[in-house]
Amino acid sequence: MRMQPTEHPGIYKKNDKLFTQNPTTCKGTRVYNEQLIMEDGVEYRSWNPFRSKLAAALLKGLPLNVPTDAQILYLGAATGTTVSHLSDILINGTLYAVESSPIATIKLVHVCEKRLNIIPIVSDANHPERYQHIVPPVDLIYQDISQRNQADIFIRNMKTYLKANGSGLIMVKARSIDVALRPKQAYELVCSSLKKQGGNIRRTIELAPFEKDHAAIYLTR
Ligand code: SAM
């Protein structure tokens, strides 16, 4: 089977696996040992749903469309696994990648060396005002930080940066919210906190079998 475009701009499928296009500046370069496939002179990178919750959510039917010129604020960039695929998609956009761990940021900065649409920011997402001199209003806020207060952190960033017609995607690890709750109760707790603070919940998608006891919450303002 040949590579097929999907309904999501910049995302392709082959044999039920997701791919993004490796930019020419990164030809032959892997970020996390992903598979590279060359077809008609274009290099594609496999997008592993066991390594990236965004790939898992897309395979489970997330209706999110990221335009190729979007401005994205990414909270919890880690070493750049998911960031690198969003970077492939954003041909004319920019990704502001916030990460609090200086050690993870060392690898993230390597990823950014050949991907000029990523701006790495070492900062604590609890304090969105600290990166206000760098980040403009954005179309999407993506959050993957596994913190108990992640709904509050998201809302603070939403109020500071999300455009009126923008959307948010929050990855929730049930155990990080409350170990005593069943996963569904933990997701409901996060949703109700988001709703109380002005979030408009569109979908909650459980990420099993790719990530057990995790869900993606998709919302708008
Ligand atoms: N999103 C990454 C990916 O798919 O490649 C994985 C993110 S990992 C699950 C969570 C990351 O969030 C860690 O690297 C951690 O250092 C970071 N983090 C946790 N709390 C944070 C905070 N308050 N501000 C910024 N980053 C934070």
Side-chain angles (χ1 to χ4, degrees):
M1 189 191 170
R2 293 181 62 73
M3 199 64 73
Q4 303 289 329
T6 65
E7 71 271 32
H8 307 285
I11 305 178
Y12 302 82
K13 242 183 181 177
K14 182 172 168 135
N15 300 330
D16 293 329
K17 286 187 182 166
L18 293 181
F19 289 82
T20 56
Q21 269 189 27
N22 215 7
T24 46
T25 50
C26 299
K27 217 163 188 177
T29 311
R30 291 177 172 84
V31 174
Y32 59 105
N33 208 23
E34 68 276 24
Q35 186 189 10
L36 299 180
I37 292 185
M38 191 63 116
E39 241 184 62
D40 299 331
V42 177
E43 191 171 71
Y44 296 88
R45 304 167 56 224
S46 64
W47 193 356
N48 186 339
F50 293 95
R51 299 284 303 276
S52 167
K53 295 174 199 99
L54 180 53
L58 288 165
L59 286 173
K60 298 254 355 232
L62 176 74
L64 177 77
N65 265 321
V66 180
T68 56
D69 61 352
Q71 303 285 309
I72 299 179
L73 173 59
Y74 192 117
L75 308 173
T79 54
T81 301
T82 302
V83 162
S84 67
H85 287 286
L86 282 169
S87 159
D88 291 351
I89 295 166
L90 293 183
I91 298 164
N92 297 307
T94 309
L95 203 156
Y96 299 88
V98 177
E99 171 53 52
S100 58
S101 155
I103 296 191
T105 309
I106 292 171
K107 176 123 193 264
L108 177 66
V109 166
H110 281 304
V111 173
C112 300
E113 277 164 4
K114 290 188 174 173
R115 296 171 178 276
L116 304 181
N117 57 1
I118 310 171
I119 315 288
I121 301 169
V122 190
S123 199
D124 180 350
N126 278 287
H127 303 283
E129 70 287 354
R130 291 186 186 162
Y131 34 89
Q132 215 163 4
H133 57 297
I134 305 173
V135 181
V138 298
D139 304 288
L140 171 70
I141 299 180
Y142 181 94
Q143 186 201 63
D144 181 13
I145 58 173
S146 308
Q147 297 288 331
R148 196 185 176 95
N149 67 334
Q150 67 182 95
D152 295 343
I153 296 177
F154 179 85
I155 293 291
R156 257 174 251 151
N157 280 274
M158 180 183 98
K159 288 186 174 158
T160 313
Y161 297 109
L162 194 62
K163 291 180 186 171
N165 59 349
S167 50
L169 191 58
I170 305 180
M171 299 300 168
V172 180
K173 178 181 181 179
R175 261 183 300 133
S176 300
I177 303 304
D178 189 335
V179 280
L181 294 179
R182 287 200 303 276
K184 275 202 169 54
Q185 293 175 310
Y187 311 146
E188 274 160 24
L189 193 66
V190 176
C191 284
S192 94
S193 172
L194 290 165
K195 267 188 224 161
K196 266 189 220 144
Q197 300 183 77
N200 184 4
I201 309 296
R202 301 287 179 162
R203 284 276 290 272
T204 300
I205 298 176
E206 295 198 44
L207 301 185
F210 306 110
E211 285 276 8
K212 192 171 174 276
D213 299 342
H214 283 70
I217 300 173
Y218 174 47
L219 73 155
T220 50
R221 288 199 84 160

